[in-house]
Amino acid sequence: MAWRYLKQVEGFWVVFRQMFKPRVTTPYPKVKRVKPQRFHGRHVLNRYPNGMEKCIGCELCAGVCPARCIYVRGKDNPVDEPVSPGERYGFIYEINMLRCIFCAMCVEACPTEAITMTQLFEMSVQGREDAIYTRSELLMSPDGVVPHPQPQSKFNDLGELTLADGWMRATAAAGRAEYQGIRHWTPTAGAGHRPPEQGQAADGVPETEEESEG
Amino acid sequence: MSDEATPGMVKITIDGREMQVPAGDLLIAAAEKAGTYIPRFCWHSRMKPVGLCRMCLVEVEGPRGTMLTTSCTMQVNDGMVVHTESDVVKKAQEGVLEFLLINHPLDCPVCDKGGECPLQDQTVSFGPGESRFVEEKRHFEKPIPISDLVLLDRERCILCARCTRFSEEISGDPLIEFVERGSGTQVLTFPDEPFASYFSGNTVQICPVGALTATAYRFRARPWDLQAAESTCPHCSVGCRISVQSSQNQVLRFQGVDVDSTNQGWLCDKGRFGFEYLNSPDRLSTPKMAGDDGLQEASWIDALDAAASGLMSIIDEHGPGAVAGIGGARGTNEEAYAFGKFLRSVVGTGHLDAQIGDGLEPRLLAAPADRGLIGDLEKASSILVWGPDLKEELPVLYLRVRRAATELGAKLVVAHPRRTGLDDVATHTLRYRPGAGQDLLRRLAAGEGDAGAALAALKEGPTVVITGLAGLTEGPDLAEAVAAFGRDLPDATVLPVARRSNVFGALDMGVSPALLPGRASAVDDGARATLSGHWGADVPDGSGRDTAGIIEGLEAGAIRAVVLLGADPAVDFPDPARASAALAGAELIVAIDMFESVSTSMATVVFPALGFTETEGTVTNLEGRVQKVSRLLPGPGGARPSWEILEDVATRMGGSIGATSAGVIATEIEKVAPAYAGATWDALNTAFGRDGIVVPTADATQPIEYVPVDRPSAPVQRDLVLHLARVLYDGGTTVQRGLSLAKLAAEPAVYITPQDAHRLGVADGSAVRLSGGNGSAELTARFDDSLTPGAVYLPFNLGISVGSGLEVELEALA
């Protein structure tokens, strides 16, 4: 009979043993884990350091999106006050966050690194319409602040909005032959510049125009 | 494959595959037909080869060894051995593409062509993958507008000359050309002369890069998010095949589809950019009823009840003959059939017309003897165009006639009161004063004087005679006499033309007092009995009124109610003021339309109708070719198809037209209309596809074959006569409701010969008063030496009307 009680004690022993092990959980939301560098959070539309929007309204993100959650429409840049470099800018940019699967194909497709993903994933909304992020929710302000629909929410760590998902190009931005095949980090990470990830430094790549300007 | 070559064919070997191809074909075309695609930029199957881009280099074995040659400039020879995939060819292709990309800006993400760009596609398929050129690219100001409709980006241009060759060879408006030399070569317009061609949009479609883009489509969408459906252009009766492309429930562009029988890939700018009216915010989306101050929005139930009870009370009081119907030429055959059936069987009136007083004898349009096809122009030795200025009214037919007269060497005789677009390529040009056409026709038939050479040219068959109403002040007799003259020519076919989009379909559906569905005569008791057997209702006899008669009836009080289906007689009738006054006196007007118009403003009830791209059906073009139109969009708000509205009104009147869907109507047409036997949707969708079916088909019958009657009338000789004719961009709904075309409508002016101007003391550009049969107007006078002295020309529907009388007076204003 006694072995039966012994088995129960064995169960207590498991609990007792765990009490002295390091904890793997965190008391979210008071404490937040450090997320992996390539974490896919909500999107942000970046600007160049001179304040111009990077988005040119080319709709490649919308075309590549497997969830078909992006809606973009381009328009002629106003001649006097261009919104982005070149002829065209995205005057409608909408992402339906309820449909988004956070695959970051849009980030890969973007030819100007206009759309990147941040590390913020808390996106609770009070209605379905609020889940459709428009330019006013996605586009960072010229000083690098990324808007948030509920900035007061205690779940938000607005600092996460300045971290990008560490995406890199396979070839040089300019498409010049001498940089063929050389990996080149995107100069912007959400709100600014970011050093390359460890072990993947892009040696020998000169500073891009934006960097020298910034 | 047998060893013996078929006559007219030669044997060639492409990449080790032996094949028979038509002798005289270009190698690039022959290879494509045989299944080998040779990349190209400058070569276009509808234009002459130039060998400019060098992309189509292939290796051809010859007596002096194998050498690279451009396949677009080489004709196939018997026994030719060609290599398209050898290492030498690959190296040549990669080299050509690397060179072409030296100066190409690679702004594909913002380029309208990106995604459907031959340069992109062929660079991926045949290019080197990377470039050795690191130097700065050539820069130009970009983009520059070369017309109101087309933008030019010279950085992207690869100098293939497709656009310049199109303007010169096909459309005959050589307004763009290469300028400068070497690396500075660029396409440009002439100084201070915009690329104001009626066909400029075609250059956008055939540009192999994004150098030419259309303002109407610029940055609206990318090719991959467009939904497309093949359809038939709704703007005139040529029936060009188009690809309707939309995104987010908005039509964004029309592209020409290459069909041998009609448009050969081309479109006019009205057809290409005229879709914008469909997206207009002015589209009607709810029914409206006349209230105390104008039209008020109403519910469908109230509007249908009001229309039905209004029609019934007029029928009760004055009989069905007090109701008339105008319209049906803007929609599909199914809608026109429903309209005709509603009026004839439910209302019981024979007063109905699809032409708005500006057409020909309906039987001549619907079922002329010896009717020709547009395709007959390809083998014609001589062509007589005596009718409207084709460039202004049926632009793609103009392109076909022009091609016959230039590239195919047909002799072209043009008779018109003034200069037409075809005069440049005409062998003989005959001019006459409006009203004196019969006189000219007599001289032409007798071969008198300067008409002798023209008659000699026309005696060389095969001849195609294109006839129609040259001007709105002239009666339809002249066109009919020309058709009768044309039939007497040896080996001649006659092609009577009218402009309004589906007028031929509407007449075939019996929307005319003289015709029953399927080209049967309304005065034929047998045909009426057969039809009333199908419909289960009496069919009124053929004594109904046409539009001019309906207007007269309204003035006299014989007609009290009018049903309008997509028609605006208060603007489109040759004498708009008279039609407007007549409609204002009507007791009841029920209008089914897409927009509010002058006519609907006088209506009691207005129903919002679905239009082009929103309804499925068939249309019939000017040669009797039945083609499909497709439904791609839902249409605005509460708008409904016209047949459904008519069915609902019919139900409330205690009848029915049996219309439960457009497909059901189509099936009924196929059964009821003898000439349309065999022209089913299934056949059009599958076996015949984009070519459509010319009715009557071999196993269908056509009850009447109308032989044009030469009704000579005495020539009118008055001091000053009016030539009133349409221009392409006018005050019409489809032009004015579109952003791109609305601004292209010309300022109204009256054109006068310098001789008359001198006699009347009028200077070029001075203000004059033109007084006609019904009204007068102050206008600017412009000199036009192509008119016959004693004639003045006023473009129709530009907001100025002095009536449709032939005689006018003109006085200079101080």
Side-chain angles (χ1 to χ4, degrees):
Chain A
M1 288 307 266
W3 60 273
R4 275 178 64 190
Y5 298 107
L6 201 67
K7 281 270 179 196
Q8 278 181 0
V9 173
E10 219 174 304
F12 285 120
W13 172 243
V14 172
V15 175
F16 183 76
R17 214 173 45 200
Q18 292 298 326
M19 286 166 64
F20 301 99
K21 282 197 174 170
R23 274 196 298 193
V24 293
T25 57
T26 50
Y28 177 83
K30 281 183 192 137
V31 179
K32 290 191 177 182
R33 282 176 68 174
V34 175
K35 297 185 191 78
Q37 188 149 39
R38 299 191 185 186
F39 185 84
H40 290 173
R42 62 153 277 197
H43 309 75
V44 62
L45 284 173
N46 298 306
R47 285 182 192 265
Y48 289 110
N50 66 3
M52 275 211 179
E53 285 176 25
K54 286 188 170 181
C55 178
I56 51 171
C58 72
E59 303 182 29
L60 282 169
C61 47
V64 79
C65 179
R68 309 209 54 177
C69 67
I70 309 183
Y71 172 52
V72 186
R73 276 293 178 261
K75 203 176 186 178
D76 262 302
N77 252 322
V79 182
D80 308 329
E81 239 180 301
V83 180
S84 69
E87 296 170 61
R88 175 171 175 155
Y89 79 102
F91 89 107
I92 294 180
Y93 200 107
E94 291 176 4
I95 301 180
N96 186 343
M97 288 297 177
L98 291 174
R99 283 200 198 169
C100 178
I101 58 168
F102 298 92
C103 66
M105 296 273 268
C106 48
V107 180
E108 254 183 88
C110 183
T112 61
E113 296 152 22
I115 190 161
T116 50
M117 293 184 118
T118 67
Q119 299 214 334
L120 187 110
F121 68 91
E122 296 96 339
M123 286 176 289
S124 59
V125 285
Q126 297 191 324
R128 300 182 72 86
E129 302 80 26
D130 298 343
I132 298 172
Y133 279 32
T134 62
R135 271 167 63 88
S136 55
E137 279 95 32
L138 289 167
L139 187 67
M140 67 164 59
S141 66
D143 58 4
V145 176
V146 179
H148 192 278
Q150 296 100 28
Q152 310 306 329
S153 165
K154 66 177 177 181
F155 289 99
N156 292 334
D157 175 0
L158 294 180
E160 287 180 329
L161 282 172
T162 61
L163 300 174
D165 64 315
W167 173 78
M168 64 189 169
R169 309 179 70 98
T171 56
R176 281 187 276 181
E178 61 199 81
Y179 303 130
Q180 183 69 37
I182 298 178
R183 289 174 168 182
H184 177 188
W185 280 92
T186 170
T188 51
H193 303 189
R194 216 167 71 97
E197 203 174 338
Q198 195 189 359
Q200 289 186 322
D203 295 326
V205 176
E207 283 197 331
T208 58
E209 249 179 310
E210 297 90 67
E211 278 171 337
S212 51
E213 273 172 29
Chain B
M1 194 173 287
S2 70
D3 285 351
E4 282 297 301
T6 329
M9 304 286 271
V10 292
K11 263 169 53 175
I12 61 169
T13 310
I14 297 179
D15 298 331
R17 268 197 313 142
E18 249 186 43
M19 53 189 72
Q20 286 202 7
V21 295
D25 259 16
L26 293 172
L27 181 51
I28 191 169
E32 186 166 4
K33 273 180 222 155
T36 302
Y37 181 84
I38 299 171
R40 81 290 297 262
F41 294 113
C42 70
W43 184 74
H44 187 279
S45 58
R46 296 287 180 189
M47 293 194 287
K48 290 190 196 115
V50 280
L52 262 178
C53 72
R54 319 308 288 174
M55 191 63 222
C56 65
L57 287 172
V58 292
E59 264 190 306
V60 178
E61 286 179 21
R64 283 176 295 169
T66 306
M67 61 181 199
L68 279 173
T69 185
T70 47
S71 57
C72 74
T73 54
M74 172 154 277
Q75 288 190 349
V76 288
N77 281 321
D78 204 19
M80 194 181 244
V81 180
V82 185
H83 303 283
T84 69
E85 288 173 336
S86 65
D87 290 342
V88 178
V89 172
K90 274 214 172 92
K91 190 166 182 215
Q93 289 172 339
E94 290 182 357
V96 167
L97 275 167
E98 200 173 346
F99 273 127
L100 285 178
L101 292 174
I102 290 177
N103 277 316
H104 192 76
L106 296 179
D107 54 355
C108 308
V110 296
C111 177
D112 273 342
K113 204 82 176 184
E116 54 177 8
C117 174
L119 184 59
Q120 262 186 342
D121 295 349
Q122 294 183 140
T123 301
V124 172
S125 306
F126 303 98
E130 58 186 284
S131 170
R132 288 164 290 181
F133 290 92
V134 295
E135 287 78 11
E136 185 70 12
K137 299 196 179 212
R138 182 185 57 182
H139 287 295
F140 288 114
E141 187 195 335
K142 64 190 271 178
I144 51 170
I146 54 170
S147 77
D148 286 325
L149 300 170
V150 180
L151 299 165
L152 169 65
D153 185 327
R154 291 162 292 173
E155 290 185 356
R156 293 180 190 150
C157 178
I158 58 165
L159 303 173
C160 69
R162 272 190 178 186
C163 54
T164 55
R165 281 184 293 144
F166 172 84
S167 320
E168 200 177 329
E169 276 175 37
I170 308 288
S171 75
D173 316 298
L175 296 168
I176 45 173
E177 201 33 272
F178 283 156
V179 298
E180 311 251 355
R181 292 176 156 231
S183 68
T185 313
Q186 50 184 291
V187 172
L188 260 188
T189 53
F190 294 93
D192 300 324
E193 222 180 313
F195 183 37
S197 164
Y198 282 168
F199 306 96
S200 61
N202 291 301
T203 61
V204 176
Q205 185 174 346
I206 60 176
C207 181
V209 293
L212 291 162
T213 51
T215 49
Y217 176 67
R218 184 173 162 84
F219 300 163
R220 292 292 152 81
R222 305 307 306 267
W224 54 83
D225 59 30
L226 291 172
Q227 274 182 300
E230 208 171 294
S231 195
T232 309
C233 177
H235 282 284
C236 75
S237 55
V238 175
C240 303
R241 284 304 270 176
I242 53 168
S243 169
V244 179
Q245 305 187 351
S246 75
S247 175
Q248 304 283 335
N249 281 343
Q250 276 215 322
V251 189
L252 291 179
R253 67 173 176 182
F254 288 176
Q255 296 276 66
V257 173
D258 196 332
V259 179
D260 258 332
S261 46
T262 52
N263 55 327
Q264 301 192 330
W266 312 125
L267 291 182
C268 67
D269 284 358
K270 187 175 180 182
R272 186 179 299 271
F273 302 117
F275 65 85
E276 287 175 325
Y277 77 98
L278 293 165
N279 303 330
S280 165
D282 301 340
R283 282 285 300 273
L284 285 171
S285 59
T286 49
K288 293 196 171 181
M289 280 163 68
D292 290 335
D293 36 81
L295 291 169
Q296 310 285 330
E297 289 192 359
S299 72
W300 270 100
I301 291 177
D302 290 347
L304 289 167
D305 284 344
S309 62
L311 283 172
M312 276 197 297
S313 72
I314 284 175
I315 296 170
D316 287 345
E317 245 174 86
H318 308 282
V323 181
I326 301 176
R330 220 190 260 166
T332 59
N333 289 347
E334 285 72 15
E335 287 165 356
Y337 177 83
F339 186 54
K341 189 175 178 186
F342 172 79
L343 288 165
R344 281 208 167 102
S345 74
V346 178
V347 176
T349 177
H351 312 309
L352 72 170
D353 201 353
Q355 306 191 70
I356 308 186
D358 57 357
L360 304 180
E361 159 69 47
R363 289 169 297 172
L364 175 64
L365 288 177
D370 297 326
R371 183 183 216 157
L373 296 174
I374 298 176
D376 290 348
L377 292 166
E378 299 282 303
K379 43 186 192 286
S381 298
S382 58
I383 301 164
L384 171 62
V385 178
W386 192 327
D389 184 348
L390 295 183
K391 198 173 181 180
E392 301 286 348
E393 300 202 9
L394 302 159
V396 174
L397 186 60
Y398 155 83
L399 290 185
R400 295 293 302 262
V401 174
R402 194 177 181 280
R403 169 180 149 82
T406 54
E407 203 174 326
L408 306 176
K411 287 186 175 151
L412 174 63
V413 180
V414 179
H416 194 78
R418 68 187 286 266
R419 183 192 308 117
T420 71
L422 281 168
D423 284 13
D424 296 343
V425 295
T427 327
H428 303 282
T429 313
L430 305 170
R431 300 247 167 79
Y432 62 97
R433 279 184 78 187
Q438 296 276 4
D439 192 34
L440 174 63
L441 183 61
R442 262 194 298 279
R443 280 194 289 127
L444 177 63
E448 279 172 27
D450 58 337
L455 182 67
L458 290 175
K459 288 233 163 106
E460 283 172 42
T463 306
V464 177
V465 177
I466 296 174
T467 181
L469 209 59
L472 296 170
T473 53
E474 290 175 70
D477 289 356
L478 177 60
E480 191 155 354
V482 171
F485 161 75
R487 283 194 71 232
D488 291 342
L489 292 169
D491 197 8
T493 50
V494 183
L495 198 57
V497 297
R499 189 196 62 115
R500 200 161 285 117
S501 58
N502 193 26
V503 66
F504 288 86
L507 293 176
D508 284 356
M509 293 303 114
V511 188
S512 161
L515 292 169
L516 298 180
R519 299 174 181 169
S521 170
V523 293
D524 178 359
D525 290 335
R528 277 216 320 279
T530 317
L531 188 62
S532 71
H534 283 300
W535 283 356
D538 282 342
V539 177
D541 66 13
S543 63
R545 296 165 182 263
D546 60 4
T547 298
I550 293 167
I551 300 288
E552 248 169 55
L554 281 166
E555 286 164 346
I559 290 188
R560 289 163 184 277
V562 184
V563 185
L564 299 174
L565 177 66
D568 187 6
V571 169
D572 278 340
F573 193 67
D575 187 347
R578 187 179 154 212
S580 192
L583 284 173
E587 269 177 45
L588 174 77
I589 297 177
V590 176
I592 300 173
D593 213 319
M594 295 165 71
F595 291 98
E596 283 193 42
S597 65
V598 181
S599 304
T600 64
S601 70
M602 295 178 259
T604 320
V605 188
V606 184
F607 293 110
L610 291 178
F612 184 66
T613 72
E614 295 151 11
T615 46
E616 195 179 4
T618 54
V619 291
T620 306
N621 83 345
L622 52 82
E623 47 180 349
R625 187 179 298 279
V626 181
Q627 302 182 99
K628 218 35 216 310
V629 292
S630 307
R631 181 176 187 272
L632 191 63
L633 301 173
R640 297 167 69 194
S642 309
W643 55 263
E644 202 176 287
I645 300 168
L646 290 167
E647 169 70 39
D648 277 358
V649 177
T651 315
R652 280 166 168 75
M653 292 171 72
S656 170
I657 52 171
T660 48
S661 77
V664 166
I665 306 176
T667 318
E668 186 175 323
I669 293 171
E670 206 260 331
K671 201 173 69 193
V672 171
Y676 276 62
T680 59
W681 281 14
D682 279 347
L684 287 165
N685 284 338
T686 53
F688 297 90
R690 49 182 53 156
D691 269 327
I693 301 173
V694 178
V695 290
T697 52
D699 38 336
T701 53
Q702 180 171 307
I704 57 166
E705 184 163 76
Y706 183 72
V707 178
V709 190
D710 186 0
R711 296 194 208 104
S713 56
V716 187
Q717 287 298 342
R718 288 175 182 140
D719 280 351
L720 213 51
V721 290
L722 178 66
H723 174 52
L724 186 64
R726 290 180 181 275
V727 287
L728 190 67
Y729 304 131
D730 60 7
T733 308
T734 52
V735 174
Q736 288 305 315
R737 308 278 180 170
L739 294 171
S740 301
L741 298 182
K743 56 185 180 232
L744 297 179
E747 284 292 308
V750 60
Y751 295 82
I752 183 169
T753 59
Q755 296 98 305
D756 288 325
H758 182 72
R759 181 168 58 84
L760 296 163
V762 172
D764 194 8
S766 69
V768 294
R769 171 175 294 282
L770 181 71
S771 312
N774 189 8
S776 69
E778 281 180 29
L779 285 157
T780 313
R782 299 258 171 239
F783 283 5
D784 181 353
D785 56 8
S786 70
L787 286 161
T788 315
V792 295
Y793 162 58
L794 178 70
F796 182 66
N797 200 4
L798 284 178
I800 299 288
S801 163
V802 294
S804 58
L806 196 55
E807 196 172 12
V808 286
E809 277 171 21
L810 189 131
E811 54 174 326
L813 294 175

